[in-house]
Amino acid sequence: MPFRFRLQRIYDVRRKEEETLKNDLSKINEKVENTQRIIQQLSAEKKRIESNFLHKKVLRKEDLLNMEMQMMFYEEEIKKKQSELSELMKEQEETRRKLFEKMKERKILEKLKERKMREYLYEENLKERKTMDEIAERKFWWES
């Protein structure tokens, strides 16, 4: 009789859940990186505008208002993206926690499966020894 782990379906489900969480975490990590890149780009553009404004020799009221509007726009966009990044980081941490739990559950089931396999092999070995002993005993009685 071949070895059959009774909790194999549960183990398979845990493994699939773990893979799904890994994929989710990968997507979240990608979103975090993209958001950080956007924040850097917005900040660089804001600094470029400031630098251009400071290098102008003649300042007009229109230029000042235009620069102020641009700066406010970039500040708002940066704040939005930072808020988005904060939410993504929370989601990332929560997904990591869930992934850790699923990995822990899967490892527990793996250890249980290994233990059951060792027990099965031990029992099979005992049965085989018993059978071999019976064969040897019969052979001994038939030959005498």
Side-chain angles (χ1 to χ4, degrees), residues 31-32 34-44 46 73-90:
K31 287 179 183 179
V32 165
N34 287 338
T35 304
Q36 288 173 334
R37 195 173 312 114
I38 290 170
I39 289 172
Q40 288 175 345
Q41 290 170 348
L42 290 170
S43 296
K46 180 182 167 194
F73 169 77
Y74 282 106
E75 286 172 6
E76 286 297 317
E77 287 299 311
I78 290 171
K79 283 181 186 176
K80 286 179 190 175
K81 291 299 178 182
Q82 285 175 336
S83 174
E84 186 179 319
L85 180 61
S86 176
E87 291 299 316
L88 284 170
M89 297 291 255
K90 288 177 186 174

Side-chain angles (χ1 to χ4, degrees), residues 1-104:
M1 180 169 77
F3 174 72
R4 185 171 168 270
F5 184 53
R6 292 182 342 170
L7 301 174
Q8 185 64 41
R9 288 185 183 170
I10 295 172
Y11 174 77
D12 292 339
V13 168
R14 294 294 186 262
R15 220 177 63 231
K16 286 179 184 178
E17 289 173 342
E18 183 180 336
E19 287 301 315
T20 301
L21 284 170
K22 282 181 182 178
N23 290 336
D24 291 348
L25 184 60
S26 175
K27 289 175 186 176
I28 292 170
N29 287 339
E30 193 174 307
K31 287 179 183 179
V32 165
E33 289 173 10
N34 287 338
T35 304
Q36 288 173 334
R37 195 173 312 114
I38 290 170
I39 289 172
Q40 288 175 345
Q41 290 170 348
L42 290 170
S43 296
E45 186 63 23
K46 180 182 167 194
K47 285 180 183 178
R48 187 189 64 77
I49 291 170
E50 285 177 340
S51 176
N52 286 344
F53 181 75
L54 293 174
H55 287 91
K56 284 188 177 185
K57 294 185 180 184
V58 177
L59 297 175
R60 297 181 314 192
K61 185 177 180 180
E62 298 166 352
D63 293 337
L64 184 59
L65 290 173
N66 187 23
M67 195 265 321
E68 185 180 5
M69 286 177 56
Q70 287 179 338
M71 296 300 285
M72 286 175 50
F73 169 77
Y74 282 106
E75 286 172 6
E76 286 297 317
E77 287 299 311
I78 290 171
K79 283 181 186 176
K80 286 179 190 175
K81 291 299 178 182
Q82 285 175 336
S83 174
E84 186 179 319
L85 180 61
S86 176
E87 291 299 316
L88 284 170
M89 297 291 255
K90 288 177 186 174
E91 186 178 349
Q92 184 183 45
E93 191 57 39
E94 181 64 22
T95 304
R96 277 188 182 141
R97 187 191 60 74
K98 287 178 183 177
L99 177 60
F100 179 73
E101 290 297 318
K102 292 299 175 187
M103 288 173 70
K104 197 167 143 183

